[in-house]
Amino acid sequence: MNFDFISPGRLLVQQGASQQLPSFAREMQAQSILLISDPGLAALGMLDDVKASFQQQGIALTCFTDVTADPSDTVVLNAVQAAQACSADMIIGFGGGSPMDVAKLVAILHHPANTQALEDLYGIGMVQGSRLPLILVPTTAGTGSEATPIAIITTGATTKSGVVAPQLLPDMAVLDATLTVGLPAAVTAATGVDAMVHAIEAYTSRHKKNPLSDLLAREALSIMSRHIRTATHQGHDLVAREQMLFGAHLAGQAFTNAPVAAVHALAYPLGGHFGVPHGLSNALVLPEVVRFNMPVTRDLYADIAPLLGSEPELDVALSTLIEELELPSTLREVGVTEKDLPMLASDAMLQQRLLTNNPRDVSESDALAIYQQVY
Ligand SMILES: [Zn+2]
């Protein structure tokens, strides 16, 4: 056995825990906090209780709520300016993957000793310095970003760059299921399937797969397959919501240490060119990539298929689940036309960072064949 495992410094799972953020800020001796979120959450009033709790405790809180989905480098730089303006000495990321990813980068870039520009950070292990105290509070059960050392930023019209460095792991992840009860069914389903993809791809990753990531991936799949239907169709069910949040977090820890692969590589072009949300793009290509991998992952898939129910074949179990969750299952349903498929396949080849983790080599013609099957 030979592996290296990293995870957030502290994990708190507790309904209503987001109300304790001022206490955690005090514990970390912070005096001016920048909370990074998105306009949707602000409009829903989801920041109101948090703001009130900071006011009651007399701790200065500034909210930056301009994070868009698939955030650009400009969004990150605007958030850094907001941190400068309030002399922030602690960052809270509050929302889905996008606000949490931006918060991680602001915590690096606004550190007093930082000398790097945003573009210096892209790549694996490029972050040189430290970061400000950082707490991440997910409001969707999907990306697991609160458990990962990764931030994905849109750097061109359709291109994304990743920052991967251990400094991006937070001091603390807070899983408060009360924040997720209002998520619409389609978002719950798609983000939940994304989290299940994280577990499946971690379990079959060609690199860094290890006994602890395996254990987390299996447990994450077991938990989420039992609760994803209830969380989707009965969104007020706090038990199902909490289990999904916990499952997605475990999957995040798994793929932090055993990285994701071809499902994500083939999903990214759908987001880049057609604006398909991350979770849904993964759900669309998932069963077909599993079918493609089957010749080399038969045994591994046989380990995890029983965690999803009584169906022995993983690809069939996943197709059935996606159907039960009432998610689209073809590319044409999300606006892709047949003539787009070669462009998607050639774009997927740009994701070598992910393809290299896939258990089976994926050529451009393989990718095209997969898209054609899903079309
Ligand atoms: Zn994902």
Side-chain angles (χ1 to χ4, degrees), residues 142-143 194-195 197-198 255 260 264 268 278-279 282:
T143 65
D194 178 39
V197 174
H198 296 157
F255 91 88
V260 293
H264 276 74
Y268 273 125
H278 177 77
N282 276 291

Side-chain angles (χ1 to χ4, degrees), residues 131-299:
R131 59 152 171 75
L132 292 178
L134 175 67
I135 297 181
L136 297 176
V137 188
T139 60
T140 62
T143 65
S145 176
E146 78 283 356
T148 76
I150 307 167
I152 305 289
I153 297 302
T154 303
T155 44
T158 61
T159 51
K160 299 203 177 200
S161 299
V163 180
V164 184
Q167 292 96 324
L168 269 60
L169 283 168
D171 296 296
M172 183 173 187
V174 175
L175 306 188
D176 176 356
T178 64
L179 300 173
T180 66
V181 287
L183 281 176
V187 177
T188 305
T191 51
V193 171
D194 178 39
M196 293 175 75
V197 174
H198 296 157
I200 294 166
E201 296 213 285
Y203 196 73
T204 54
S205 190
R206 190 187 290 193
H207 297 117
K208 298 187 181 173
K209 173 179 159 63
N210 65 73
L212 194 45
S213 66
D214 284 353
L215 181 151
L216 290 161
R218 281 196 303 263
E219 185 64 12
L221 272 179
S222 167
I223 290 173
M224 290 190 285
S225 63
R226 275 183 278 134
H227 296 281
I228 191 169
R229 293 171 186 81
T230 310
T232 298
H233 298 305
Q234 289 141 48
H236 57 274
D237 188 319
L238 262 175
V239 172
R241 289 294 194 182
E242 185 164 72
Q243 292 288 333
M244 285 304 293
L245 205 46
F246 182 51
H249 181 82
L250 296 186
Q253 285 205 18
F255 91 88
T256 287
N257 296 281
V260 293
V263 178
H264 276 74
L266 269 68
Y268 273 125
L270 295 170
H273 293 283
F274 296 96
V276 182
H278 177 77
L280 178 56
S281 2
N282 276 291
L284 282 164
V285 297
L286 170 64
E288 208 50 50
V289 174
V290 165
R291 233 160 267 150
F292 171 81
N293 285 340
M294 192 67 89
V296 297
T297 49
R298 193 167 292 282
D299 292 349

